[in-house]
Structure formats: structure tokens, C-alpha cells
Amino acid sequence: MAAHIRRRLRKGATTTAVAAAAVAALAASQAPAAPLAEGAAGGDQQAAGGESGGPEDGAATGNSPYYTDLPPLVTPDRPGSSSNLPAATGSAEAGIPASVLAAYKQAERTVATTDPACRLPWQLLAAIGKVESGQARGGQVDANGTTLSPILGPALNGQGFALIKDTDGGAYDSDAVHDRAVGPMQFIPSTWATWGQDANGDGRKDPNNIYDAALAAGRYLCAGGRNLAVAADLDRAVLSYNQSTEYLRTVRSWFAYYQRGTHEVPDGSGVLPTAPSTPTPSPTPTPSPTPGGTTGPTPSPSPSKPGGTKPSPSPSKPGDGSTSPTPTPTPPRPTPPPKPTPSPAETFGSLENAGTGPLTATAGGTFEERVSVRARNALGAPMAQLPVTFTITGTTGTLFDGGKKKVTVISKADGTATAPALKAGEKTGEFTVTATAGTNRPRTLTYEASVTARQADKIVRVGDKALVAAPGEKFADAVTVKATHKGIAAPGVAVTATMVKDSLGLIDNDKGPYFKDADGKPLRTLDLTTGADGLLQLPEIFADENPGTYKLRLTTEGGGSVVIELTVQAPEETAPEETETPEA
């Protein structure tokens, strides 16, 4: 059992066909590709004849290493496990370089915000990163998370791999003839053009940056409304990344391993596989001396028997002067399984309004209507389990319930997806809500919405004491009013106070009581706002030298109004007291 778990796909006379087939399948996918570039660290490779001969100089053949080591039997300790490892250290294989681990966890958090239904675990990204690049070559990244040297797969030139002609002008892979897989998560350039992300905020979508690549891989795995907590969806996601059952088994093994526990190690100190696997070309015959003093090609060695020694080539016939090589069978090139074509019932077709009414609310209020759409498949039937993203655009400060400007909702069985309630901001004006669904050919619907000023349908004076002042004096009593909307106190409502001649407020007054501006000059119209409890105390009111009865009219947004009477009168003169004359 232990030997089975610790097996590796690698070169050797006994595993040539298996290794070549696995590598061809790993590199042939149109999804992010698998092989790692030349110069990867990680132990000796297997020489062409099956011996451990140090690093292989096989760039000319396109045979670059790729990682398929399986995790060890001894896993990091956790409650209930059978491991005897110290909890603080764990297995060396469980250590993930700090920047790489941070990138995986950041990608998980980001996707959980934008696509919570996917339920992406960072351990899955770690498993893929382990297989694709040995955790970016053991954490060989700079402070921004960019690999210290490029990680490139072999040229996809159709020679044992898929044939993918250049799509990026060599911008990512330095190859203007054929595409190569690039970076920690081994995206081919054409796939990166669609899925590339800027996760570290440097303004670039760089496949060589572990933060950008990890988020791109996460979004790629979540495509099509997958729920990665469901085993079948997780398998489909990994196979969409690379169409190989061996690849799926290996990723699954590392995924389960990392789920049992990991720990952070310094960048550059991660563990690489002991022997990267590599596709095996047909061995090139090498000249060897013959009995006649000439040289000729040496026949290919036969596989050694289990437990035996290195095989020797068959001796040349005496007197021939040369030998004929024994033909070496070329392993058959596996044909990658075709990507399944979704049926019309599984293909997203259209997005339509599901009955959303007018979207309007007063500042600080909640919109009564919620944005709702219905997704349909290519046959026109309702489509369930489709992620729909709703985005608010505008400057009113309006947000979805929960304080977000962007949310993703999964459509229900009837195809509907309804956004959370909208909370109006404090700034009045127009804004839009856009619903977007689909990846290859996204569909969008845009809804217009507006925020209006806070309203009050009633305003009344608090108190009924007569408001009287002498000419040239100040009114001793302050004027206080209260605004309400549907019987509830209306805070933040705009109130206009105007001195008028008539009860309807059609004619402004240019004499009598007045307010003062900042410079102390008379002012007979003011714009004010009610407080948190709907109350408003007006500024001080002054009387001029004209006695009489005047009117102050207050109006609100929403139709509330009240007219208050102000009287300017001189104090009544007091007659002198009569002096009694004493009787004589």
C-alpha cells in the first residue's frame, strides 16, 4: 500500500508509455496547461535510459518536467488523526510558502464575496498549485508574489503535446510560434486572455504573479455555476482545468492531504518533488565501438527484470564492422478526450426582467421594489443554478442590504434571481443597477433608479403661545415646528421658511419680521432641515419699525405646510396715577 501511495509517474523503461501518455494528456488541454518549465528544481530527473543522471538537457524535444508526486502517508496532525507528528510543525510536505499560501487564501476570500455559491476552498488551489508548479518552485517569488524566474511549459507544437499556435505574440511565454503554459498555475496565454485577474492591485494581470494566477484559477474553477462542495462539480472543475484522470487523481490526493492540515513556511523554503516526471521521447542511439574498430549505433536497452541489474546492449556480430539498431517502438500519442458540449437545456440563453417595478426611494430609506431577473436556457425554459451578478453604479451612496455595491445571486428553480433590498443613500439623484449572467457570452439588464429628498406630509408648530415683539426688538419666544411623514417623525427633511403677506404664501413680504444672515442683514427666506427627531427650531426672529400682524409660512418636501402669525406692536402707554388732594 505504501509503495502504491508513494508512486510517481517518471521516466523509465518500465513506465515509458504511462509517463508519455499522462504528460500528453496534461499538456493537451485548452484549459490552463500543466507542464513546468526548464530548469525547475526538485531533484534529479531520469536519464533517457532510465538511470538517475542529473538534470536532463531536453529542451529541444519539448520534454519539460511536470509534477505528479503524491502526498506522503504521514499527514499533518489534527484531532483524531493517526499521525504522531508535532502539531506545530507537521510534515515538511505540508509546509506552503508564505506568499503562495496568502495568495490561495486571498483568492478564496475574494471568490466567497463575488461568487459565494461556488464555495471555493483554498486547499483546492493549493493542490493544483502543487501539481502545476511545486507551489511556484517552493516559493521562489518576490515581495509582490511574482516568480523570480519564468515558469514555462514546453512549446505546444503538436510533437507529443497539443498543437496551439501562438496567440499572444510571445508576450507571456516568449514564444512567437507556439503557445506555452505560463506561471505558477500554468495558464496558456489564450486562456489567460479570458480569465486573467489583477488580484494584487498593481494594475497588471500577470500570469507569473501568484496572487493574480490563484484568483484566475479560482474563478476558472467556479465557472458555469459550479458548487465545489459537491464532489461531482469539483471533479468537473479539475477536469476542465486539465483533461486527465491521472491529473484528477493527483490533485484530489493533494486536496485531501491539505485539508487535513498545513502550515506556513518562509518563501523559498518549500519542498519540491524528489523526481519531477517528464515525457519520454524515443531514445537517440549513441555510437559504440565495434569489434572491427568502427563505431555504430548502440541498440536500445531492454527493460531490466525486477531486482536485476542494468541491461546491456546485445553484442554486435564479429566481422560486421557495424551494428543495426534495434527499433524502439514509439508510444502511441493519446488523443485528449473532447470537451463535452453542453446540451441546449444546460446552455444559458437569455436574461429578462422578472417583474421589477419603478425603483425610487427617499434619501436614507429602503426601496420597496427589489431588482429581479429571470434566466432562460437556449430552449427558452427557466434556468436554475446560474450565478447572476447585480452591480450598482452611481454617486447617491445607495447600497444593497449588507453594505455592498455588487452581489451575486444563484437563480432558483423558476429561473429567477432577486437582488437584496436597496438602501438609499443620502445624496439625491439617479443611479443604475445592472444584472449580468453568463461567461462566454454574458447577458446584461440595466435598471434606472432614483433617490429623492426626504419628505414630510405634515408640519406643525410646537406650542401655541402668541409670538409678539415690539418694533425694533427681537421676538422673545423661539419658533419650533415638527415634521412627520405618514404619522412618523421625519428627520432630515428640507423646510423653507418665508415671511409672506397672505396665508397661501403667494406674496412675499418685504417688511415686518425678519431673520438675519451671517452679516446681520435682514433675510426673509431661509432653507432649513429638520433634526433627527423631526423637530426644527427656527433662528431668532427680529421686528422692524413697522407694527402690524405678519405671517410666517413653512413648507416641506412632500407637501406639508404651516402658517404662523407674528405680531409687531408697541407697548401700551400707561396713564399717570391721580394724586389724591387731602381734605381741608
Side-chain angles (χ1 to χ4, degrees), residues 23-36 125 128-129 131-132 153 156 162 164 179-196 207 212-223 226 236-244 247 251 339:
V23 172
L26 287 171
S29 174
Q30 295 294 320
L36 182 65
L125 297 175
I128 291 175
V131 174
E132 296 290 1
L156 300 177
I164 303 179
D179 272 350
R180 296 170 179 257
V182 181
M185 305 305 279
Q186 289 288 278
F187 277 92
I188 57 175
S190 58
T191 306
W192 184 258
T194 300
W195 293 94
D212 294 358
L215 181 57
R219 295 203 189 285
Y220 185 94
L221 293 166
C222 289
R226 296 189 184 101
R236 278 191 288 268
V238 175
L239 287 172
S240 77
Y241 204 92
N242 207 304
Q243 296 177 21
S244 162
Y247 180 86
V251 169
K339 293 184 178 180

Side-chain angles (χ1 to χ4, degrees), residues 75-109:
T75 56
D77 199 13
R78 69 167 188 175
S81 74
S82 59
S83 170
N84 293 319
L85 292 172
T89 59
S91 165
E93 287 281 6
I96 299 179
S99 294
V100 179
L101 182 60
Y104 297 150
K105 292 185 176 181
Q106 177 178 297
E108 179 191 59
R109 291 192 299 270

Side-chain angles (χ1 to χ4, degrees), residues 284-464:
T284 302
T286 54
S288 59
T290 61
T294 61
T295 60
T298 302
S300 298
S302 302
S304 59
K305 296 181 180 179
T309 59
K310 178 181 175 182
S312 299
S314 302
S316 56
K317 295 180 181 179
D320 283 352
S322 64
T323 61
S324 297
T326 302
T328 303
T330 301
R333 184 183 305 167
T335 301
K339 293 184 178 180
T341 302
S343 67
E346 298 172 326
T347 303
F348 175 52
S350 63
L351 202 62
E352 65 186 29
N353 187 355
T356 305
L359 295 168
T360 183
T362 57
T366 300
F367 285 73
E368 294 183 359
E369 285 285 329
R370 293 171 62 183
V371 178
S372 183
V373 299
R374 177 174 284 104
R376 296 190 181 277
N377 61 24
L379 298 175
M383 187 170 188
Q385 296 300 308
L386 180 73
V388 180
T389 299
F390 298 89
T391 306
I392 296 172
T393 304
T395 59
T396 64
T398 300
L399 300 170
F400 290 112
D401 193 8
K404 297 178 181 179
K405 295 189 72 172
K406 180 184 287 188
V407 294
T408 298
V409 179
I410 303 301
S411 62
K412 298 187 293 187
D414 62 354
T416 61
T418 302
L422 290 164
K423 300 288 187 179
E426 290 298 332
K427 186 176 180 180
T428 60
E430 309 293 322
F431 68 96
T432 61
V433 180
T434 302
T436 305
T439 52
N440 296 330
R441 296 177 59 193
R443 310 291 198 275
T444 62
L445 279 180
T446 300
Y447 297 81
E448 301 292 334
S450 63
V451 177
T452 59
R454 293 173 184 264
Q455 297 183 353
D457 53 17
K458 187 175 182 180
I459 184 170
V460 297
R461 182 189 170 196
V462 178
D464 56 0

Side-chain angles (χ1 to χ4, degrees), residues 521-577:
K521 296 179 180 180
L523 191 67
R524 290 186 166 88
T525 297
L526 279 180
D527 291 324
L528 306 166
T529 304
T530 61
D533 51 3
L535 293 174
L536 169 64
Q537 180 174 307
L538 274 64
E540 293 178 326
I541 302 175
F542 301 86
D544 64 5
E545 299 299 330
N546 299 290
T549 300
Y550 300 89
K551 292 179 174 59
L552 169 62
R553 185 170 187 263
L554 296 100
T555 59
T556 69
E557 288 282 348
S561 68
V562 64
V563 176
I564 300 172
E565 196 169 84
L566 302 171
T567 302
V568 179
Q569 67 178 24
E572 294 182 1
E573 293 183 2
T574 303
E577 296 182 1

Side-chain angles (χ1 to χ4, degrees), residues 442-504:
R443 310 291 198 275
T444 62
L445 279 180
T446 300
Y447 297 81
E448 301 292 334
S450 63
V451 177
T452 59
R454 293 173 184 264
Q455 297 183 353
D457 53 17
K458 187 175 182 180
I459 184 170
V460 297
R461 182 189 170 196
V462 178
D464 56 0
K465 186 177 180 180
L467 299 169
V468 181
E473 299 293 330
K474 179 177 68 174
F475 285 78
D477 298 303
V479 177
T480 301
V481 294
K482 183 174 183 178
T484 58
H485 182 67
K486 296 181 179 179
I488 300 174
V493 174
V495 177
T496 300
T498 307
M499 300 297 177
V500 295
K501 290 183 177 180
D502 62 310
S503 297
L504 296 178

